[in-house]
Amino acid sequence: DAHLVSVASAAVRQRSVMLWTAALLVLCAGTLLLLFRHIDRTMPYPQHTDEGFISGPASSILVTGDLHPRRFNYPSLPTYLAAAAMVAGFVQGAGELEIRDVKQIGHVGYPHYDMPRIVGTARKAYALLSVICVAMTGLTAWLVFRRAPMIFVAPLLLLVSPLYFRHSWLYLN
């Protein structure tokens, strides 16, 4: 009898974890769509003055082919991530005949982007990373508290923080 109760309680717990995990996935998908919408609506204008410290060296990597970022106001990894995302934006733009040569990328900072798709792709890549952090917050909350609702509640608390939400789509890094 006790064995049946423990099996039933484990099944209920597993179902609860699956339900809250599904809610987290819906929250992450909705958040990503909202972040992408914010990014699309602000194009072709940068939203933060520091963005040029990452987008400039990343653009230079694409245009020159030299992997040395030349500037070290920020660590190199964000620059390389932005450059990789800009390559994806370049390929998309070339596929739609918006751009033919990397030298056409032009200005990637204030006052506006010459090729918004290229920097926009990099901003979206960073937004995706921020949503992955939201999901990891849910996982961490589950591992720490072992209560299924925390899988959803902890990331939700993070997302309602104006500072986190604003910086998750506002600029690179």
Side-chain angles (χ1 to χ4, degrees), residues 74-93:
Y74 285 95
S76 298
L77 181 61
T79 300
Y80 294 132
L81 289 173
M86 287 177 160
V87 166
F90 176 80
V91 169
Q92 285 178 341

Side-chain angles (χ1 to χ4, degrees), residues 69-123:
R70 303 273 183 256
R71 291 189 209 159
F72 296 99
N73 296 12
Y74 285 95
S76 298
L77 181 61
T79 300
Y80 294 132
L81 289 173
M86 287 177 160
V87 166
F90 176 80
V91 169
Q92 285 178 341
E96 295 183 16
L97 303 176
E98 287 178 15
I99 188 169
R100 288 187 222 143
D101 186 7
V102 291
K103 293 185 182 2
Q104 291 176 303
I105 292 173
H107 197 68
V108 292
Y110 272 109
H112 63 85
Y113 310 125
D114 288 344
M115 290 287 169
R117 177 189 300 261
I118 292 172
V119 182
T121 305
R123 285 178 59 192

Side-chain angles (χ1 to χ4, degrees), residues 33-150:
L33 290 174
L34 185 61
L35 296 177
F36 283 5
R37 185 171 155 217
H38 280 310
I39 290 168
D40 288 339
R41 288 188 173 185
T42 59
M43 286 298 168
Y45 303 104
Q47 299 298 303
H48 199 280
T49 55
D50 280 356
E51 191 171 281
F53 291 115
I54 295 173
S55 62
S59 173
S60 178
I61 288 172
L62 266 65
V63 172
T64 66
D66 183 6
L67 294 177
H68 193 293
R70 303 273 183 256
R71 291 189 209 159
F72 296 99
N73 296 12
Y74 285 95
S76 298
L77 181 61
T79 300
Y80 294 132
L81 289 173
M86 287 177 160
V87 166
F90 176 80
V91 169
Q92 285 178 341
E96 295 183 16
L97 303 176
E98 287 178 15
I99 188 169
R100 288 187 222 143
D101 186 7
V102 291
K103 293 185 182 2
Q104 291 176 303
I105 292 173
H107 197 68
V108 292
Y110 272 109
H112 63 85
Y113 310 125
D114 288 344
M115 290 287 169
R117 177 189 300 261
I118 292 172
V119 182
T121 305
R123 285 178 59 192
K124 287 178 179 179
Y126 276 96
L128 175 63
L129 290 174
S130 75
V131 171
I132 290 170
C133 290
V134 169
M136 291 295 102
T137 301
L139 175 64
T140 303
W142 163 247
L143 293 173
V144 170
F145 298 108
R146 290 289 179 188
R147 294 183 182 213
M150 295 306 293

Side-chain angles (χ1 to χ4, degrees), residues 129-134 158-159 161-169:
L129 290 174
S130 75
V131 171
I132 290 170
C133 290
V134 169
L158 178 62
L159 284 173
S161 161
L163 183 65
Y164 179 82
F165 188 78
R166 181 170 165 77
H167 285 284
S168 64
W169 71 269

